[in-house]
Structure formats: C-alpha cells, structure tokens
C-alpha cells in the first residue's frame, strides 16, 4: 500500500488573509513585547519630537520601539539584520504587522531617540515591581568588560605619538616636496592650463594620520593638565624628581583613534578595548535593579553609585548586598554601614589593586573578613555567583552581545541600558 503524505501546495492561495496574531504561537515573546510597548510603555518623549505635519508619514514610533526591543531580545542588534528579519522572519512580522522599514530608517530612529529609549529602563523596572519580581532581600553587584566598537590596535601611547609625529612630519614634508617637483615637471610637459596639482592619495592618507596623532596627543595633554589642576598643590620635599613634569601625560598613556573614550581593559580572555558595564541584580528573579557603564577598569568606585541607584529606581534600599573583592575598600564598607545595608564583600588580595592594598586594610575590612569567615561555605556571599553572573551569561552568550554598536561613552551607556531593559522584559514575560 502506497504511503500518503500531507499536501504541500505551494501555489495555493489563501481564501482569507492571515492575522499577525497567527504568525507565531499565542505564548510567543513577540506578542508579549509588542503588546507591552503598545499598552504599558509611555513613549511621549519620542512621539513629541514628531511635530512636523508636512512630509511623508513616518513609521509608527510604537512599532519601531517594539522592533528594537524584540530584536535585542532575539540577539539581533544591527540595523541591517533587523531590516532583513522584518522581511524574512514571521516572528518579526508579528511585531511590525508586516511593516518593513529599511536599515537606515531603523538606524536613524535608534540614534535619534537613544536618550528616550534609555528612559524605558525605569518604566520596565516599575512593571517588574508591580508583578512582584523585585524583593530586594539580596542584591548582587558585578561588572563585565564589553568590547568597544574600536580595535585595540588603533590605540597609541603618548610616548609613541611623540616619536611618530616627528617621523611622519618629516616623511610628509619629503613627499610634499617630491609632489611639488612632479607637478612642476608635469606643468612643463602638459602646459600650465592642464590640471596636475591634485595631491596624491598616499600623501593625503599620511597627512590624515598625522592630524589624528596630533589631535590625540593634544587631548592627552589636556587631560593631564586638567588632572594636575584638580590636585591640591603639594610642596616639594626633596627626593627623586618625577619622571614626567606635572601636567604632562606619561609616555604609557594611551588614546584610541576610533573611540577615544574607550580604554584598554583586562578581561577574561586577555586585554580588550572596551568599557566596564555594571549591574545590580535582585536575587529573587534576577531582575536588574540598577546599572551603569564606565570607562574605568576598576569596580571600586561603582559600589556606592549602584547602591544609591537601587534606592532611586525602586524607592527602597536592599537588605543585603554582595560583591567581589574588586568593590572592597574601607570607604565602600563604611558607606554600606551608614546606609544600614548588610554587606558581603570579598576582601581577597589583589596583586595590583587600584589605589593600593592599604584601601583593603582597616577596621571595616577586618570586620568583613571575620563575617565571611564565620559564614564559611554557608555564607550569604555564596549567592553572588548564582545571582549576577548568569545575567551576564544570558546577555553575552545566550543573546550574543559581545561588542557595542555605537561609539562614545554616552551612546554606549544608553546601549547598555537598553540591553538591561530587554533582560528585564524577558523576565517579565516568563512571569506573565
């Protein structure tokens, strides 16, 4: 008996057009993100910017916002891949209702409304609170290094800049002389009315690089002078003179030509050109209750800011806070005690701690050391790894965010906030 198969009728037309609600199953995240944006998020700061009645009607800002948030939740970040998904993937079609904005429209919308999109974090966090997902019994803090949209090979130290500037200036001067001699020879052959004065491309490229080096060198010098002015005047007490005069950058000071605000930082897989992304995660359902981004590789200065941000975002302070040894200092431990927050902060030694090992020595550090020792393997500090580190794994590994798309600390800070917002939306979707 011949086996029969289900029909595969490629040319069969549908009698009635399908609804976007039928593109994916009813419990699919696409429906949740779309309806969340339509019904519960306030986009007045975005909508108010469309004050010109003339011209072709733009895409609906609610649809564009839902597209970005859903794309980030699926690990689709670039505007070109988002535009491609709108044309090829039914889950994206369920979000956009078959609208297909091109990649330039998506990119411009994100850049234009980046600050407003950053503000969605607090709105989503409030929804998480209303759903009972934020308990603030135990909050874990941690930071992760994320690669900037720049190569570490495009960075140059101040010492190399000084040498390279001299070499390039001499090289460019020699080439310009050769170019002028060639122009004179061509004028003699072709006549004065014929164009022969265009600068060769190889000369222009070198001159452009020389200009970039001079700009970066001037920026480093300005930063060093600003730091010197901020310091209190110190009397010279003899001894060895400093290697670099006050207000002058050290030879090892570096600046990146592509993203000058990013820094060389040490990550798990070696050194990278990037930023230090911070998150405070609630222990009940792994909701991010506070976040920030800095160009400082050290975590030490971020603890107080994150703890205060938790109170500002939720209206309450956490009962317990845990953090690794990168956050440990006498000032930080004292700040937790003043805020009446029970801290569990590792006091482990670092070979080259930022600010010196003396910041981890004192009565507060010793008391914390005793607290962790008394708890042993049952200490509340053990919760840190299982609360905050999986969040970074979900963002970087599960959703594939390994590098910022934008450049400059203000834009990358907004991009990190958007990632944290999407993380909380997915937690909210699971609880719904």
């Amino acid at each position: 008996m011949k086996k029969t198969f289900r029909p595969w009728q490629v040319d069969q037309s549908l009698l009635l057009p399908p609804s976007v609600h039928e593109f994916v199953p009813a419990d699919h995240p696409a429906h949740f993100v779309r309806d969340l944006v339509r019904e519960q998020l306030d986009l007045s700061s975005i909508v108010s910017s469309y004050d010109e009645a003339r011209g072709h009607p733009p895409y609906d800002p609610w649809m564009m916002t839902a597209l970005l948030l859903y794309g980030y939740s699926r690990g689709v970040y670039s505007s070109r891949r988002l535009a491609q998904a709108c044309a090829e993937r039914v889950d994206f079609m369920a979000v956009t209702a078959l609208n297909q904005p091109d990649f330039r429209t998506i990119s411009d919308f994100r850049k234009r409304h980046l600050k407003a999109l950053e503000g969605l974090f607090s709105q989503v966090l409030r929804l998480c609170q209303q759903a009972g997902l934020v308990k603030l019994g135990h909050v874990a803090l941690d930071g992760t290094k994320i690669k900037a949209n720049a190569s570490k090979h495009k960075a140059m130290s101040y010492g190399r800049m000084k040498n390279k500037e001299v070499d390039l200036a001499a090289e460019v001067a020699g080439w310009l002389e050769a170019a002028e001699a060639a122009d004179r020879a061509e004028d003699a052959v072709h006549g004065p009315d014929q164009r022969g004065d265009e600068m060769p491309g190889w000369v222009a490229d070198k001159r452009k690089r020389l200009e970039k080096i001079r700009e970066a060198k001037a920026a480093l010098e300005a930063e060093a002078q600003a730091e010197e002015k901020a310091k209190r005047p110190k009397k010279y007490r003899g001894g060895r003179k400093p290697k670099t005069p006050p207000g002058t950058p050290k030879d090892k000071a570096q600046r990146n030509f592509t993203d000058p605000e990013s820094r060389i930082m040490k990550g798990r897989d070696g050194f990278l050109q990037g930023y230090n992304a911070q998150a405070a995660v609630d222990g009940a359902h792994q909701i991010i209750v506070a976040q920030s981004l800095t160009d400082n590789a050290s975590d030490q200065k971020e603890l107080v800011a994150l703890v205060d941000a938790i109170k500002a975002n939720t209206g309450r302070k956490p009962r317990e806070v845990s953090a690794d040894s990168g956050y440990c200092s006498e000032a930080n431990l004292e700040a937790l005690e003043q805020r009446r927050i029970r801290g569990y902060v590792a006091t482990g030694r670092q070979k080259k701690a930022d600010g010196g090992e003396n910041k981890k020595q004192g009565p507060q550090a010793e008391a914390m050391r005793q607290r962790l020792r008394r708890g042993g393997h049952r200490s509340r500090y053990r919760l840190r790894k299982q609360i905050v580190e999986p969040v970074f794994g979900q963002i970087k590994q599960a959703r594939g965010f390994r590098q910022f798309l934008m450049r400059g600390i203000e834009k990358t800070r907004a991009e990190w906030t958007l990632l944290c917002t999407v993380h909380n939306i997915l937690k909210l979707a699971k609880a719904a």
Side-chain angles (χ1 to χ4, degrees), residues 116-191:
L117 292 170
E118 187 179 3
L120 298 181
F121 176 79
S122 57
Q123 293 189 46
V124 173
L125 183 56
R126 280 196 295 271
L127 294 175
C128 292
Q129 284 184 274
Q130 293 170 11
L133 302 180
V134 179
K135 304 296 184 183
L136 295 182
H138 189 104
V139 174
L141 313 181
D142 204 359
T144 184
K145 308 299 190 298
I146 299 181
K147 190 177 182 300
N149 189 1
S151 170
K152 64 182 178 182
H153 302 295
K154 291 296 182 181
M156 187 179 288
S157 66
Y158 182 74
R160 189 163 173 240
M161 283 180 195
K162 291 190 293 187
N163 297 330
K164 198 70 177 175
E165 181 185 12
V166 175
D167 295 342
L168 271 178
E171 193 174 356
V172 169
W175 284 347
L176 287 175
E177 290 179 6
E180 289 176 3
D183 287 343
R184 288 193 295 269
E186 287 177 0
D187 286 344
V189 174
H190 302 293

Side-chain angles (χ1 to χ4, degrees), residues 111 114 404 406-416:
K111 286 188 289 187
L114 195 58
F404 286 108
M406 300 183 179
R407 295 170 181 167
I409 192 165
E410 289 300 322
K411 292 181 179 179
T412 50
R413 185 173 288 144
E415 197 171 0
W416 173 245

Side-chain angles (χ1 to χ4, degrees), residues 305-325:
L306 282 173
V307 169
D308 290 344
I310 295 171
K311 178 73 180 294
N313 292 339
T314 64
R316 295 181 293 154
K317 63 182 181 182
R319 190 170 67 249
E320 297 176 352
V321 164
S322 61
D324 62 23
S325 59

Side-chain angles (χ1 to χ4, degrees), residues 42 48 54 94 101 138 164 191 256 294 315 336 344 371 395 411:
D42 179 13
S48 61
R54 295 174 298 176
H138 189 104
K164 198 70 177 175
N256 191 279
T294 176
L336 289 177
Y344 295 91
R371 179 182 297 172
I395 292 174
K411 292 181 179 179

Side-chain angles (χ1 to χ4, degrees), residues 10-12 33 85 97 132 168 180-181 193 254 264 272 327 384:
V10 178
D11 299 321
Q12 176 67 49
V33 174
L168 271 178
E180 289 176 3
D193 296 332
Q254 289 192 343
I264 293 283
L272 57 85
Y327 294 88
R384 186 193 68 82

